[in-house]
Amino acid sequence: MSNHIIVAIDGYSSCGKSTLAKALAKKLHFIYVDSGAMYRAVALYFLRNNIDLKDHEQIMDALKNIHLNFHSRDYETHITLNDEEVSDEIRLMPVSETVSAVSAIREVRKEMVKQQQRMGRSKSIVMDGRDIGTAVFPDAPVKIFMTADPKIRAERRYKELLPKNPDITLEEVFENIAHRDFQDTTRTESPLVRAEDAIILDNTNLTPEQQLQFALSKVEPLL
């Protein structure tokens, strides 16, 4: 068997994709690539620089000035935008409300896919996102598609956001998730769909440890 393995994890927002991907990468000593963080970083740059999402020229110029990198610290993966640490800022609501629209832009997706594929050429990686198993790595040997009850997803996301967003409401988070689901599944460019050979993981009633064991059972036979 090849010692170079790509694990593609796709699914709806706030399903715990990154939680599973981080744990799996750590357990297997693979590199974790957070594709969602990449799109969030682009959204942050667009917000900071008032990029018009309908202006093709502005978008293309902006993408030339966006340089993303991942680095590990204390067993956590962090992302930098033009050498600035933005791991916390990209999780705030203004970015959450913008990221689906930004990630639906063809030019943005093409640029991010190039960067993602470059990362996966030489190392074993775990990558999570919306189209990893369909568009980025359609030949990945392990594809997992995550889903969960929307109410449970909203409750999990609310608890995650509350410490840094004390004024946020559960209803606001639920509406944001519903809106992102609609945008992700109906967009023209790389919509969220399950790859035909992806294994469905519904974690509505699973603990993080249980979902990790499920994923490990799918990868370990290939090692």
Side-chain angles (χ1 to χ4, degrees):
M1 285 290 182
S2 170
N3 58 5
H4 174 207
I5 296 171
I6 293 171
V7 181
I9 301 178
D10 293 309
Y12 294 94
S13 64
S14 301
C15 271
K17 296 187 298 296
S18 62
T19 298
L20 173 60
K22 288 176 186 176
L24 189 60
K26 184 176 180 181
K27 188 78 172 178
L28 296 170
H29 302 289
F30 286 10
I31 300 298
Y32 167 56
V33 179
D34 182 354
S35 73
M38 296 172 71
Y39 287 104
R40 283 176 172 271
V42 173
L44 176 61
Y45 183 92
F46 282 12
L47 285 169
R48 286 178 172 180
N49 293 276
N50 299 310
I51 303 300
D52 183 348
L53 301 189
K54 296 180 181 178
D55 189 322
H56 178 267
E57 189 172 335
Q58 273 194 33
I59 290 168
M60 294 306 293
D61 286 343
L63 290 173
K64 294 174 186 174
N65 296 311
I66 294 175
H67 305 285
L68 305 178
N69 280 301
F70 287 95
H71 64 278
S72 294
R73 187 173 71 246
D74 300 327
Y75 301 104
E76 290 289 333
T77 300
H78 299 262
I79 187 169
T80 57
L81 168 60
N82 297 334
D83 297 323
E84 176 194 354
E85 168 71 56
V86 293
S87 299
D88 289 336
E89 191 172 356
I90 63 171
R91 301 296 169 183
L92 299 179
M93 279 305 290
V95 173
S96 292
E97 291 169 349
T98 308
V99 64
S100 286
V102 170
S103 63
I105 298 169
R106 175 175 296 180
E107 293 83 1
V108 173
R109 298 202 73 83
K110 285 177 70 175
E111 178 59 29
M112 293 302 102
V113 167
K114 277 186 200 173
Q115 294 194 32
Q116 291 157 11
Q117 290 175 334
R118 185 181 69 243
M119 294 174 191
R121 284 193 190 110
S122 59
K123 300 174 182 177
S124 290
I125 64 171
V126 181
M127 187 180 296
D128 68 299
R130 301 290 193 280
D131 62 352
I132 309 306
T134 53
V136 184
F137 294 113
D139 296 324
V142 180
K143 300 177 187 177
I144 296 173
F145 188 89
M146 294 181 66
T147 185
D149 181 276
K151 290 182 180 179
I152 297 297
R153 290 159 55 203
E155 289 171 3
R156 291 171 179 168
R157 183 71 174 142
Y158 174 71
K159 290 176 183 177
E160 179 185 339
L161 288 171
L162 192 59
K164 294 174 184 175
N165 299 264
D167 296 327
I168 201 169
T169 66
L170 179 58
E171 182 180 10
E172 187 180 3
V173 175
F174 184 84
E175 288 176 357
N176 173 251
I177 285 176
H179 180 63
R180 289 179 65 189
D181 284 352
F182 177 78
Q183 286 188 309
D184 289 342
T185 56
T186 60
R187 68 186 179 215
T188 303
E189 190 68 22
S190 295
L192 172 64
V193 293
R194 181 177 71 88
E196 289 185 4
D197 54 346
I199 304 156
I200 294 177
L201 171 54
D202 185 332
N203 70 0
T204 300
N205 299 308
L206 296 181
T207 65
E209 180 59 31
Q210 287 172 328
Q211 68 177 14
L212 174 59
Q213 291 304 318
F214 176 90
L216 282 170
S217 72
K218 308 303 177 185
V219 181
E220 287 178 337
L222 303 178
L223 299 178

